[in-house]
Amino acid sequence: KKKIRRVPNTIGIVTSPTGAAIKDILTTIKRRFPVCNTILFPALVQGENAANDIANKIKLANEVKDIYGIDTLIVGRGGGSLEDLWPFNEEIVARAIYDSELPIISAVGHETDFTIADFVADLRAPTPSAAAELAVPDIFEVKQKIINYQDRSKLALKKKIEIMKLRFEKIMKSRIFTDP
C-alpha cells in the first residue's frame, strides 16, 4: 500500500462527469482545501464497457501524472445496486489499481458497499465525499497549526534572547570588565 500524500497539489478523479459523486468530491475538496487542483478523468462507471474505461482512465492518469503534478487519484462512484457497482469488481480494474504508481483512494458506493477495487486500493473511503475528506487536509486546521508554530517559534526566540542577555550581563559584571 502506498502512502496518501498529506497535502496534495493536484488530485485526479476517475468517475462519471455527470453523477452526484463528482459534485460531492469537488465540493468537499474546495471547502476543505481550496488551493488543491483537481483533474477529472471522465469514465463510464456502470454498464458493459465501464470496467475497461475505468482501467484506461487510471492508466491515463498515471501517464500524465508528471505533466500535471498529480499526487493522488480518487476512483469511484456513488451508490447503486450490486449490478451498478460491478465494474469495480472486474479484474481489469483491480489490476489497473494495483499497477498504479499513484496512490489510489477507492470511493465506490456507500458505507455498506464493498468491491474488489476497495481491497486493492491504497485506501478505502466509505463514500465519495469521505474520499475527498481523506485526500485533503482542512485548510483551517493547517492555518491553526501554522499560527501555533509561529507562536512557539516567537516564544522560543524570546527565551533564547533573554538567556543571551543574562549571559551578556553576567560577563559584563565579571571582574575582568569591572576591574581591568
Side-chain angles (χ1 to χ4, degrees):
K1 302 283 184 185
K2 293 174 280 307
K3 278 185 99 172
I4 305 297
R5 188 165 173 180
R6 291 174 111 189
V7 183
N9 293 315
T10 305
I11 295 176
I13 305 165
V14 177
T15 192
S16 169
T18 58
I22 186 63
K23 291 180 183 89
D24 292 345
I25 291 169
L26 293 175
T27 301
T28 304
I29 289 172
K30 292 305 169 199
R31 175 180 46 83
R32 286 179 56 88
F33 200 65
V35 296
C36 183
N37 298 313
T38 54
I39 297 175
L40 174 63
F41 295 91
L44 298 170
V45 291
Q46 71 183 55
E48 237 178 83
N49 300 321
N52 284 326
D53 198 29
I54 294 164
N56 289 334
K57 295 302 166 58
I58 292 170
K59 290 173 188 170
L60 176 62
N62 277 276
E63 289 170 8
V64 300
K65 72 180 181 340
D66 294 328
I67 298 168
Y68 295 105
I70 301 171
D71 304 306
T72 305
L73 197 59
I74 296 174
V75 177
R77 60 158 287 150
S81 67
L82 179 61
E83 292 78 21
D84 291 342
L85 303 178
W86 196 257
F88 295 93
N89 283 318
E90 296 286 343
E91 181 180 355
I92 191 167
V93 173
R95 287 195 184 276
I97 291 171
Y98 180 81
D99 292 338
S100 174
E101 292 176 24
L102 289 167
I104 293 181
I105 301 174
S106 175
V108 182
H110 295 298
E111 291 192 34
T112 57
D113 298 321
F114 280 90
T115 64
I116 292 171
D118 294 325
F119 296 107
V120 180
D122 301 299
L123 184 62
R124 178 200 179 262
T127 65
S129 297
E133 287 187 12
L134 292 169
V136 294
D138 185 353
I139 190 88
F140 299 109
E141 289 177 12
V142 172
K143 285 180 181 178
Q144 192 57 50
K145 276 186 181 178
I146 291 170
I147 290 168
N148 290 342
Y149 291 146
Q150 283 178 330
D151 292 345
R152 288 175 62 188
S153 295
K154 286 177 188 175
L155 184 62
L157 189 57
K158 220 178 198 180
K159 284 185 177 186
K160 187 74 169 172
I161 290 170
E162 285 176 19
I163 290 168
M164 293 301 196
K165 188 177 178 183
L166 289 172
R167 282 185 185 168
F168 175 75
E169 288 172 358
K170 184 178 178 184
I171 291 170
M172 292 308 290
K173 290 178 184 176
S174 69
R175 185 168 174 228
I176 197 156
F177 287 111
T178 57
D179 187 22

